[in-house]
Amino acid sequence: MSTFVSEVDEEERNEAPFERREVVIKKGEDLKAFYKLHDELGRGKFGVVYKCTEIQSGKELAAKFIRTQRKEDRIDVQREVDIMTKLQHPRLLQLYDAFDDGSKEMVLILELIRGGELFERVIDDDFVLTEKACTIFLRQICEGLAYMHYVALVLHLDLKPENILCLTKTGNRIKIIDFGLARFYDPTKKLQVLFGTPEFVAPEVVNFDQVGPRTDMWSVGVITYVLLSGLSPFMGDSDAETMANVTKCKWDFEDESFDKVSDEAKDFVSQCLVKDRTKRLDTKEALNHRWLATKEAKTESALDKKKLKRFVIKRRWQKLFYTYIFLRRMGATMTFDDPPK
Ligand code: ATP
């Protein structure tokens, strides 16, 4: 059976996974006295995420183990907790609890997201990817970002396909995850950062210039470009080449994949992938852009997903390769199912 995407229902849109919580990191307490760990859900550069159950309530959640070998790592996790505590919005992953037992890992207990990564979902043979579906996802991403930028004064700074998850395997709701590189932002102060994922990072990050809310909108532009075409606009043969392509800001819609893409969609991407940060769309302008704002007259014909499938499979392999290299360096073996003993 094919899956068509319909609009997100207002009620389910605002559904919260649990009551608002002010999380204070539990120091010196044993995680296993409170939570039972299950299978691995995913892993990234900084840690591994397992499904878990709160023993007292039976609530299913996710436990993210973050390596904190250096003192600075602990400060980073404390910042992630402070930021997540501020981010109370249905489009943003919610924090439930946090642990620091003084060992080489800290643990965040998070809302459990069951639907997997958005890009994995859309490449499924059963999923019909249309421009309308893209706008439904993009609108939610921009809503989450608008809250981050204007209410919480937080920049995400690591938006990429892996950090957009689907709440369920069949619904349309998405959540932005991974606030490990996020920063509080004060519009009166200059903030510069030198991290992120080359394919999705804005020119001002590569050039170590000032960043701001529109820095995240560059990444939104790249994600949209990939979703519509399966092509990565700045991808080079190495990270250095990718970053050089980003700073040149040379990209186009020449590939045949864009032949059937609407002018509105192309205009949206064009207004995000602008080298001068101040001239890019911000989240409010993006939500008012005619591609996202109007619900009618969206192309319902299916986009060709061949290249998008290739893109996702390539990233899967890259992730596996980097995990392997990392574990080799740590002298560990590669396990995917066993939660920490
Ligand atoms: P990165 O390398 O992107 O910086 P990271 O080490 O900060 O990653 P996350 O991105 O937070 O880790 O999580 C890694 C993966 O684990 C995600 O891509 C996702 O597939 C899965 N994951 C993370 N949080 C959850 C959650 N709350 N529920 C379900 N799966 C999750």
Side-chain angles (χ1 to χ4, degrees):
M1 199 186 68
S2 298
T3 314
F4 286 90
V5 178
S6 59
E7 285 298 332
V8 178
D9 179 272
E10 221 29 66
E11 214 169 282
E12 52 171 49
R13 175 186 282 272
N14 297 320
E15 192 182 278
F18 37 75
E19 293 278 303
R20 191 193 166 108
R21 292 166 71 91
E22 290 298 328
V23 173
V24 177
I25 300 178
K26 292 194 171 94
K27 304 232 172 178
E29 301 231 43
D30 182 12
L31 167 91
K32 295 203 198 75
F34 299 87
Y35 299 93
K36 189 168 165 24
L37 294 170
H38 309 290
D39 291 349
E40 180 176 320
L41 292 165
R43 58 173 73 209
K45 275 194 295 296
F46 303 101
V48 189
V49 183
Y50 297 93
K51 191 173 166 185
C52 70
T53 314
E54 188 179 29
I55 295 167
Q56 198 189 15
S57 66
K59 191 184 276 295
E60 292 190 310
L61 296 148
K64 178 175 172 179
F65 285 71
I66 308 171
R67 286 180 298 274
T68 48
Q69 252 130 347
R70 303 167 310 151
K71 204 169 125 211
E72 307 88 79
D73 298 333
R74 307 197 103 75
I75 297 168
D76 287 345
V77 179
Q78 179 67 61
R79 188 198 302 112
E80 190 169 347
V81 168
D82 293 343
I83 285 178
M84 289 194 79
T85 306
K86 271 226 137 187
L87 300 179
Q88 312 264 344
H89 188 274
R91 302 278 65 83
L92 307 174
L93 183 71
Q94 299 296 291
L95 179 67
Y96 191 77
D97 209 348
F99 287 83
D100 180 5
D101 67 359
S103 72
K104 293 204 166 104
E105 278 177 323
M106 285 171 74
V107 186
L108 303 186
I109 304 294
L110 305 159
E111 163 187 12
L112 174 65
I113 312 288
R114 297 164 194 274
E117 294 175 17
L118 171 66
F119 274 33
E120 292 283 351
R121 164 113 195 272
V122 300
I123 62 159
D124 196 283
D125 288 336
D126 280 347
F127 190 91
V128 183
L129 181 64
T130 62
E131 258 190 51
K132 182 174 176 163
C134 295
T135 63
I136 290 168
F137 297 132
L138 261 305
R139 208 177 298 139
Q140 295 177 74
I141 295 171
C142 290
E143 282 168 5
L145 283 179
Y147 175 90
M148 288 182 72
H149 294 168
Y150 290 104
V151 181
L153 294 184
V154 169
L155 311 180
H156 188 285
L157 300 174
D158 195 24
L159 272 185
K160 56 185 175 183
E162 293 87 329
N163 288 339
I164 316 289
L165 299 190
C166 293
L167 231 67
T168 62
K169 296 240 183 261
T170 50
N172 315 322
R173 286 167 296 162
I174 59 95
K175 289 241 176 190
I176 299 174
I177 68 158
D178 192 2
F179 303 96
L181 297 183
R183 291 289 180 273
F184 282 113
Y185 132 88
D186 176 346
T188 64
K189 292 198 182 121
K190 187 172 179 181
L191 176 66
Q192 293 155 288
V193 297
L194 200 55
F195 51 60
T197 308
E199 263 179 281
F200 297 93
V201 106
E204 61 269 24
V205 175
V206 179
N207 293 329
F208 199 52
D209 288 333
Q210 184 168 355
V211 296
R214 287 177 168 91
T215 302
D216 284 332
M217 288 308 293
W218 172 279
S219 312
V220 168
V222 182
I223 291 170
T224 311
Y225 188 104
V226 180
L227 200 53
L228 292 168
S229 67
L231 300 168
S232 186
F234 304 105
M235 185 65 168
D237 288 334
S238 64
D239 282 354
E241 198 180 309
T242 304
M243 289 191 280
N245 292 340
V246 169
T247 53
K248 280 187 228 142
C249 190
K250 264 187 82 179
W251 60 270
D252 55 52
F253 295 124
E254 310 256 284
D255 192 90
E256 58 176 15
S257 313
F258 286 102
D259 288 354
K260 288 192 190 139
V261 171
S262 71
D263 289 341
E264 285 90 346
K266 288 181 189 165
D267 187 71
F268 179 83
V269 173
S270 307
Q271 293 206 49
C272 292
L273 297 182
V274 178
K275 185 166 179 175
D276 180 348
R277 177 175 61 88
T278 61
K279 301 212 164 78
R280 253 171 246 155
L281 289 181
D282 71 4
T283 46
K284 286 182 185 162
E285 290 160 346
L287 287 164
N288 285 323
H289 185 278
R290 61 188 188 282
W291 190 54
L292 291 194
T294 54
K295 289 188 179 167
E296 75 286 355
K298 260 332 124 38
T299 324
E300 290 272 16
S301 59
L303 294 163
D304 184 354
K305 298 196 295 189
K306 240 188 278 121
K307 290 180 182 140
L308 187 59
K309 274 187 191 166
R310 244 182 275 151
F311 171 89
V312 173
I313 290 164
K314 190 172 163 203
R315 283 187 80 77
R316 252 187 237 159
W317 278 105
Q318 275 171 341
K319 204 165 177 179
L320 213 58
F321 175 72
Y322 289 122
T323 307
Y324 174 71
I325 297 289
F326 173 80
L327 289 171
R328 281 280 302 262
R329 263 196 226 131
M330 304 274 293
T333 46
M334 202 152 172
T335 58
F336 284 94
D337 299 315
D338 305 337
K341 297 278 176 300

